[in-house]
Amino acid sequence: MAKEGSGSILQFAPFQSSVDEGFWHRLSSLKLNKFGIDDSPIPISGFFAPCSHSQVSNHLTLLAESLPSDSNEESSMPAIAQSNRNRCSVPGILYNTNTMESFHALDKQALLKAEAKKIWEDIHSGKAVEDCALLSRFLLISFADLKKWSFHYWFAFPALALDPPATLVDLRPASQWFTAQEAESISAACNEWRNSNVTADVPFFLVSIGFDSHAAIRHLKDWEACQGNSQKLLFAFYDPCHLPNNPGWPLRNFLALICARWNLKTVHFLCYRENRGFADLSLSLVGEALITVPQGWREHQCVPNAVGWELNKGRKMPRCINLAKSMDPTRLAISAADLNLKLMRWRALPSLNLDILFSVKCLLLGAGTLGCQVARMLMAWGFRKITLVDNGRVAMSNPLRQSLYTLDDCLNGGDFKATASVRSLQRIFPAVEAEGVVMAIPMPGHPVSSEEEKRVLEDCKRLNDLIDSHDVVFLLTDTRESRWLPSLLCANTNKITITAALGFDSFLVMRHGPGPFNSTTDLKTETTNSLSAAIDNLALTNKDGRQRLGCYFCNDVVAPTDSTSNRTLDQQCTVTRPGLAPIASALAVELLVGILHHPEGIFAEAEVANSNNSGSPELPLGILPHQIRGSLPHFQQMTLLGHSSNSCTACCHTVVSEYRKRGMQFILQAINHPTYLEDVTGLTELMKSASSFQLDWDDETEEADDECIEL
Amino acid sequence: MDVLNWDGTLSAKDFRIGAIAFAQKWETLNLGYPPWSWVPSPKHPPLTSPQEEGYLSLEKIRISRPKQEDVDQNIKTDTGEEETSCSEKEDDIDDATLVQSSHHELQYYDFHIVYSHTFRVPVLYLRAYRSDGRPLLLDEFEKDLPACSVKELSKSKWTFITQEEHPYLKRPWYKLHPCGTVEWMKLLILGDTSQPKFEVVLELYLLSWFSVVGQVIGIRIPVNVLSDCR
């Protein structure tokens, strides 16, 4: 390397800091569990090693072990491996403030000065000669924002400034400065020094070369002893810096010590650097520096000026690191949940559209056995936006079957299910966007008095708004009649609607077809025009002429009415085999995932099991049925298809048109007059004509409470 | 043990033996990387004898990356909030401090080989960070992985990287998913016509394993090394 012109100022490459994530993790845990608001300074250790790469300097690194251990780990942690050759310890001090304001208000000059004074005193007392690790100290100020998992911090590596600064006479690679014989001897001696448990982490030392070119490494305290019996004496240090023309920062305080204690004017120094764990003398430097002893340095009362605050990208400002991604439990839960879904996509379902699942808004009407279970299944599939509607409170009998509740929710009269379920969902997965609405669903056959009328109409309006603002509606209430209004509103708006209903030991899970006005042209014309039979037929089909799929009410020949009065207790309460609700809920959600992945969505034709298309590669999720019926006594499950009926009390053209024309008046009439819906839809007519035939109904048909076409 | 009926898995004890054999072999290969070191576990999960617990560690590895990215890396500093530059009275310039103009951002990798009790195979855990210690997310360092492994990552079923808690450090690390390891390990070890003794299998296990896994992170073991070991 080029010889520096004699007289140029010797410039040192500043230390660079590196803070391992583990340091911040432990600091957070200590701050929370041990320190509390105590912000007194904490002694810590940094670690460094000689440069080991021709292009990169080594950093002063803070690790979890830099801090005292958190109390809970104390017993199980083994003692820090002593004398790790690449972890030379540097004493440091941490000022962690409680607020951002006090972080900024710290008197940085005074803090730096205080650390420099420690170094200065150790030099004068001779402690630094005995234990040379004391020559390199560091200072860290920080503010740990534990709510945001962000850490503001600033390092200083106090260096005693020589005034006037040292000048450089000569600086070149050590391999050029030494004779080959000397170099070989030095390398061997250094490697031995670095491999011994006793000396590997002693970062300052003397290299003495005898007249026989034999090199020996001595401790600083042997300086006097080295006088006279060596041809060359070099002051060596582990140099973290890689630069070919500058020594690293530790040399500064070393020169201060040499100057203050031994009063030398000319200093030969060795910047010891390594490659792959061995001394590398072409990377190491040897320099000759001239020092003018500054005035007053003999008296140790007057502390020299200190410098050393670390720059951040060349500017005097603190650094900031945000670790929310690895510390915020909510974020960790999200990424773990994502992982499961992604694994599913990577390994089994490459066409799985997670974005749809994340963004679809689900409305769950009913937060009982079915509602709780559906909500959990939705979350398992990655759905994040869930609204639960229920007007009930959690009763003592609920928690065993309704999987979102615990005994606590039943106390003091019980919390509203809508509130308790949301709370529970958030506990399970904090990133869920769940909302609870305490509201009763107006039902036909449950007449309302004129005082109640206003409230009922408001509820209708509210339900309508809820359905409008969601993409999917689940009908999970425990009575037939409570499903009527939502079925109608969903048919009116063509929302994806899924019904799950339970008997004692059998269940039905189905998706509703689109409503009668399922194309935009229909929407405009039909609302105003009078109806004709022709259009009535049209309304049974989709816009492309296929028959619409039925809704929950399409197969019924009676209008929904009060099904709870005049029943015995076991009929009133929904008594079902406990396994039923989880099965039905799981199927309901699987059905939804199927619809969302079908290119035609709500208009998708019904497929049934065992037909040719099963196992087709285009259907990675399998077939998309219309209805699934299962029965526990036979452990049987069937997929069924039922088309829409033009006398359906909820989704037929007549009813939806009537609702569009008369709105809430129509609803009120339906609620207050049990037979009104049957009259409007022609069911009354149908029943009359049917009874006139005196058909011989089988008991069978009564049992299967609606006609399904089994395929 | 009969190697013919071997299912491709290792016991925790075998893992430790294999890991130490691998670390020794690694040093003789002299590939230009520092040595692996065995880190004993501070905690002893139940059902395992303490001295068997631990993992192999290779830290602060630099993998060279394309130059041009340094520019936009510097622009995109995620400091969260803007720090006010504190104007200090310390402004008198210290002539003896070297002012470096370039702020070359480097990135480092840590690799740990941890035994999975579930899969009974070694698993590679890794993380990447800047020189100041700031951790990098997968999508930030993914592009620095060898092009072939990025392609593998997107299509293959076993070489995907997921974020999971490091079983010993209890912090989130990235891991190369171990499903499938057993199958290709059997192919690697038993595919050869010669049927090695189980002790030999153990010697070779981690080296063979790493010859596959290392490619994902751009560390190659020369082919002849493996055949020489036989």
Side-chain angles (χ1 to χ4, degrees):
Chain A
M1 286 296 125
K3 229 181 189 184
E4 296 282 321
S6 65
S8 71
I9 290 176
L10 176 56
Q11 288 195 317
F12 306 86
F15 237 132
Q16 289 167 292
S17 67
S18 170
V19 190
D20 184 80
E21 215 182 338
F23 177 85
W24 301 120
H25 278 262
R26 188 175 287 183
L27 177 62
S28 307
S29 135
L30 284 169
K31 184 75 188 155
L32 284 173
N33 304 321
K34 209 165 165 185
F35 303 151
I37 56 159
D38 179 5
D39 59 359
S40 40
I42 307 155
I44 56 176
S45 323
F47 302 102
F48 90 110
C51 164
S52 57
H53 195 285
S54 61
Q55 259 114 58
V56 197
S57 293
N58 255 318
H59 290 60
L60 181 112
T61 306
L62 295 193
L63 306 167
E65 298 92 292
S66 297
L67 284 160
S69 75
D70 347 17
S71 48
N72 51 356
E73 280 179 25
E74 216 144 28
S75 52
S76 50
M77 283 296 283
I80 297 170
Q82 278 300 308
S83 72
N84 178 332
R85 65 197 298 274
N86 287 318
R87 282 192 191 175
C88 304
S89 171
V90 178
I93 191 155
L94 166 67
Y95 289 83
N96 183 51
T97 63
N98 285 322
T99 63
M100 193 67 192
E101 288 71 28
S102 43
F103 174 75
H104 283 303
L106 286 173
D107 183 348
K108 298 212 305 301
Q109 266 317 97
L111 293 177
L112 185 68
K113 189 122 196 162
E115 291 311 298
K117 187 159 182 258
K118 290 181 193 166
I119 298 172
W120 182 244
E121 279 170 0
D122 288 340
I123 288 176
H124 275 270
S125 69
K127 252 170 100 179
V129 176
E130 290 295 317
D131 179 7
C132 60
L134 297 173
L135 273 181
S136 300
R137 284 179 181 272
F138 73 98
L139 164 70
L140 173 62
I141 59 171
S142 69
F143 165 58
D145 187 342
L146 298 182
K147 284 197 178 113
K148 292 184 193 152
W149 294 276
S150 70
F151 302 87
H152 303 259
Y153 68 99
W154 203 336
F155 272 89
F157 305 101
L160 303 169
L162 293 168
D163 186 22
T167 55
L168 195 58
V169 179
D170 180 26
L171 184 71
R172 59 175 98 171
S175 53
Q176 291 175 22
W177 200 82
F178 295 113
T179 67
Q181 207 186 347
E182 288 168 347
E184 200 181 317
S185 177
I186 288 171
S187 294
C190 287
N191 288 335
E192 194 188 328
W193 180 267
R194 289 279 290 143
N195 284 326
S196 151
N197 283 343
V198 186
T199 52
D201 59 352
V202 177
F204 298 93
F205 51 93
L206 303 169
V207 174
S208 123
I209 298 169
F211 296 99
D212 54 356
S213 297
H214 182 79
I217 297 188
R218 300 296 197 83
H219 285 277
L220 295 190
K221 60 176 185 234
D222 300 331
W223 181 75
E224 273 89 6
C226 292
Q227 298 304 307
N229 60 4
S230 51
Q231 186 200 14
K232 297 171 183 168
L233 184 64
L234 291 97
F235 294 89
F237 69 103
Y238 293 172
D239 190 359
C241 168
H242 75 280
L243 298 171
N245 295 316
N246 297 86
W249 207 243
L251 181 59
R252 292 196 79 158
N253 290 339
F254 198 17
L255 287 184
L257 174 126
I258 293 164
C259 171
R261 276 199 82 80
W262 298 319
N263 203 14
L264 297 184
K265 305 275 188 300
T266 303
V267 175
H268 285 102
F269 59 86
L270 167 67
C271 309
Y272 175 75
R273 299 172 183 180
E274 292 182 342
N275 189 14
R276 292 187 193 176
F278 295 102
D280 183 337
L281 292 195
S282 54
L283 199 55
S284 301
L285 304 175
V286 171
E288 184 183 342
L290 293 181
I291 315 174
T292 315
V293 179
Q295 282 195 328
W297 270 48
R298 305 300 296 172
E299 308 141 38
H300 83 271
Q301 281 83 359
C302 101
V303 182
N305 266 342
V307 293
W309 285 101
E310 187 178 27
L311 298 182
N312 180 6
K313 298 195 171 72
R315 295 166 66 196
K316 281 185 184 172
M317 53 187 268
R319 300 180 182 210
C320 177
I321 181 171
N322 189 298
L323 293 181
K325 289 188 183 80
S326 64
M327 297 181 88
D328 178 353
T330 305
R331 290 224 207 173
L332 291 177
I334 293 172
S335 73
D338 283 359
L339 170 64
N340 271 340
L341 293 164
K342 280 181 186 156
L343 283 177
M344 197 151 67
R345 191 174 69 191
W346 289 334
R347 306 218 62 204
L349 296 168
S351 56
L352 191 65
N353 186 340
L354 296 178
D355 292 336
I356 284 197
L357 305 184
F358 291 158
S359 60
V360 158
K361 293 182 183 165
C362 302
L363 179 66
L364 276 53
L365 302 179
T369 346
L370 287 166
C372 287
Q373 208 61 36
V374 165
R376 290 203 75 131
M377 288 298 133
L378 285 172
M379 293 218 296
W381 259 109
F383 291 89
R384 297 275 168 81
K385 299 177 169 144
I386 298 171
T387 306
L388 291 130
V389 176
D390 201 298
N391 70 331
R393 289 176 183 273
V394 186
M396 285 290 183
S397 64
N398 293 155
L400 286 170
R401 287 178 179 227
Q402 308 189 3
S403 60
L404 292 176
Y405 310 124
T406 61
L407 180 64
D408 285 348
D409 300 314
C410 316
L411 304 179
N412 306 317
D415 277 342
F416 279 114
K417 287 184 175 178
T419 337
S421 59
V422 166
R423 202 168 50 220
S424 177
L425 289 179
Q426 282 160 346
R427 257 202 312 266
I428 292 164
F429 187 57
V432 71
E433 294 167 46
E435 211 181 312
V437 179
V438 180
M439 185 186 108
I441 297 169
M443 297 181 279
H446 296 243
V448 291
S449 59
S450 48
E451 308 91 73
E452 287 177 308
E453 216 168 79
K454 190 158 168 280
R455 183 188 56 79
V456 169
L457 287 178
E458 268 166 20
D459 283 347
C460 290
K461 172 86 179 41
R462 207 157 152 215
L463 183 62
N464 192 34
D465 293 347
L466 279 170
I467 288 173
D468 262 348
S469 59
H470 287 76
D471 306 304
V472 174
V473 182
F474 279 93
L475 308 185
L476 309 168
T477 49
D478 52 2
T479 60
R480 213 166 72 84
E481 57 268 31
S482 57
R483 297 165 194 255
W484 173 76
L485 180 58
S487 293
L488 164 61
L489 296 176
C490 290
N492 181 42
T493 48
N494 285 317
K495 290 284 170 185
I496 294 174
T497 310
I498 292 172
T499 283
L502 306 176
F504 168 67
D505 55 12
S506 62
F507 65 85
L508 161 72
V509 173
M510 68 180 289
R511 60 186 171 109
H512 292 196
F517 303 105
N518 53 43
S519 74
T520 43
T521 47
D522 282 346
L523 282 173
K524 282 174 203 150
T525 50
E526 297 307 320
T527 41
T528 47
N529 289 0
S530 63
L531 317 166
S532 72
I535 293 167
D536 220 38
N537 281 334
L538 266 180
L540 282 174
T541 63
N542 286 329
K543 51 196 169 195
D544 56 2
R546 292 197 307 243
Q547 246 191 313
R548 293 199 282 132
L549 292 178
C551 79
Y552 180 63
F553 293 95
C554 279
N555 301 315
D556 280 356
V557 288
V558 284
T561 185
D562 188 347
S563 62
T564 52
S565 314
N566 304 318
R567 296 283 180 99
T568 60
L569 191 64
D570 64 315
Q571 285 173 310
Q572 251 184 59
C573 297
T574 41
V575 178
T576 73
R577 285 175 65 162
L580 222 46
I583 297 172
S585 306
L587 287 173
V589 174
E590 297 293 331
L591 191 61
L592 170 63
V593 174
I595 299 169
L596 294 176
H597 281 83
H598 195 286
E600 292 180 68
I602 190 175
F603 299 104
E605 271 191 277
E607 293 154 331
V608 284
N610 304 324
S611 58
N612 301 334
N613 53 12
S614 63
S616 130
E618 298 130 66
L619 297 167
L621 285 166
I623 62 158
L624 183 55
H626 177 224
Q627 305 180 3
I628 303 127
R629 275 167 193 264
S631 101
L632 272 185
H634 301 108
F635 289 95
Q636 248 179 4
Q637 202 169 288
M638 298 178 293
T639 54
L640 307 163
L641 167 68
H643 288 294
S644 62
S645 151
N646 57 7
S647 356
C648 174
T649 52
C651 80
C652 77
H653 192 276
T654 323
V655 168
V656 178
S657 309
E658 211 47 30
Y659 166 68
R660 290 191 173 193
K661 257 191 290 186
R662 298 175 44 224
M664 289 306 154
Q665 279 315 306
F666 169 77
I667 304 284
L668 266 189
Q669 210 167 347
I671 288 173
N672 287 328
H673 305 281
T675 58
Y676 173 68
L677 283 172
E678 290 171 11
D679 295 342
V680 170
T681 54
L683 279 178
T684 320
E685 277 299 306
L686 182 72
M687 284 189 284
K688 264 187 206 153
S689 57
S691 53
S692 69
F693 279 113
Q694 284 294 324
L695 272 183
D696 198 13
W697 295 101
D698 285 347
D699 280 348
E700 244 180 293
T701 36
E702 201 189 323
E703 202 179 321
D705 56 15
D706 29 306
E707 302 162 13
C708 349
I709 307 155
E710 190 181 332
L711 292 164
Chain B
M1 187 185 299
D2 187 359
V3 175
L4 275 181
N5 299 327
W6 178 57
D7 62 357
T9 65
L10 286 181
S11 71
K13 192 174 155 218
D14 291 342
F15 169 71
R16 200 181 92 95
I17 296 168
I20 286 165
F22 168 65
Q24 284 165 354
K25 187 82 204 159
W26 179 262
E27 289 205 51
T28 65
L29 292 181
N30 207 7
L31 298 172
Y33 295 100
W36 288 88
S37 56
W38 177 262
V39 182
S41 154
K43 285 183 188 132
H44 314 131
L47 305 175
T48 53
S49 51
Q51 74 274 18
E52 283 162 16
E53 280 294 313
Y55 57 89
L56 275 182
S57 158
L58 179 68
E59 298 194 340
K60 281 219 135 177
I61 302 305
R62 297 189 319 123
I63 292 179
S64 42
R65 51 198 283 244
K67 280 256 155 57
Q68 38 118 4
E69 275 156 28
D70 286 332
V71 185
D72 39 75
Q73 292 297 343
N74 277 345
I75 297 165
K76 195 189 79 182
T77 50
D78 43 326
T79 45
E81 50 208 83
E82 193 56 42
E83 292 282 358
T84 44
S85 179
C86 303
S87 56
E88 291 289 325
K89 277 135 258 151
E90 190 208 355
D91 272 335
D92 42 288
I93 292 146
D94 173 50
D95 295 327
T97 303
L98 176 71
V99 181
Q100 280 160 289
S101 48
S102 73
H103 305 286
H104 189 61
E105 288 265 24
L106 285 171
Q107 52 197 45
Y108 295 88
Y109 291 82
D110 287 354
F111 301 115
H112 288 177
I113 301 175
V114 181
Y115 180 71
S116 159
H117 288 273
T118 317
F119 290 87
R120 295 172 54 82
V121 293
V123 182
L124 183 77
Y125 282 77
L126 70 154
R127 63 165 190 155
Y129 48 97
R130 296 265 164 76
S131 50
D132 63 358
R134 186 192 307 270
L136 292 164
L137 297 175
L138 178 60
D139 46 0
E140 290 173 298
F141 70 82
E142 202 177 32
K143 56 184 179 293
D144 299 317
L145 298 174
C148 62
S149 77
V150 172
K151 220 179 287 167
E152 277 299 286
L153 280 178
S154 57
K155 69 164 201 271
S156 170
K157 288 190 176 183
W158 60 267
T159 50
F160 42 74
I161 293 177
T162 58
Q163 194 188 45
E164 263 163 75
E165 188 175 81
H166 189 293
Y168 295 100
L169 300 178
K170 306 291 174 203
R171 295 198 293 270
W173 275 52
Y174 291 101
K175 97 176 193 193
L176 202 62
H177 220 270
C179 45
T181 303
V182 161
E183 281 74 29
W184 52 259
M185 277 313 297
K186 270 201 290 190
L187 280 178
L188 276 177
I189 301 264
L190 303 178
D192 202 355
T193 41
S194 67
Q195 268 140 27
K197 289 204 180 77
F198 188 69
E199 295 76 61
V200 183
V201 169
L202 213 51
E203 276 294 285
L204 278 182
Y205 191 101
L206 264 94
L207 190 65
S208 310
W209 172 82
F210 196 75
S211 69
V212 176
V213 165
Q215 289 181 34
V216 180
I217 51 175
I219 300 181
R220 277 180 187 280
I221 293 180
V223 186
N224 57 320
V225 166
L226 272 176
S227 42
D228 288 354
C229 290
R230 293 249 152 148

